[in-house]
Amino acid sequence: MRESTHDTMAALLPRMSPRDLSSQPTGALLRMMVNAAIAVCLRIGQRCKAAHRRSVDRERMRGLDPHLLRDMGLSKHEVDQETGKWFWEA
């Protein structure tokens, strides 16, 4: 199941009531929000990197000779299915 950005931010920020938040120094609140935003950006970056890696791997698979595919136990149909996926699909 995929998490939304809102769910990720909510998980990264401490559970605090509005009263607790109002008693926190502004700098501490800002620091918490910046740290949460950085964590979300890092997760997005990791997902982009993984999607790019899948895309490159699929392109390489598409260029393999049929005898190499047979050696790996892959049929042309299986390769076509895998290489036909969008870059974000696992």
Side-chain angles (χ1 to χ4, degrees):
M1 176 157 60
R2 295 184 183 194
E3 293 181 50
S4 71
T5 303
H6 180 267
D7 294 338
T8 303
M9 290 287 283
L12 294 171
L13 290 172
R15 302 273 186 234
M16 300 176 114
S17 71
R19 179 175 291 161
D20 292 336
L21 288 173
S22 65
S23 67
Q24 292 289 319
T26 305
L29 288 176
L30 182 59
R31 198 169 24 261
M32 284 190 299
M33 294 184 74
V34 167
N35 287 339
I38 289 171
V40 169
C41 290
L42 289 173
R43 288 187 69 178
I44 290 170
Q46 290 169 346
R47 288 185 181 191
C48 289
K49 184 177 179 181
H52 180 261
R53 188 174 47 245
R54 281 192 300 269
S55 178
V56 169
D57 289 346
R58 287 175 179 149
E59 281 300 314
R60 288 179 180 162
M61 184 188 296
R62 185 178 288 136
L64 291 176
D65 291 330
H67 75 278
L68 291 174
L69 296 174
R70 281 193 303 272
D71 288 347
M72 291 188 292
L74 297 172
S75 69
K76 177 74 171 136
H77 177 71
E78 290 170 323
V79 171
D80 289 342
Q81 278 185 322
E82 185 63 29
T83 58
K85 292 180 181 179
W86 290 100
F87 67 91
W88 62 81
E89 293 180 297

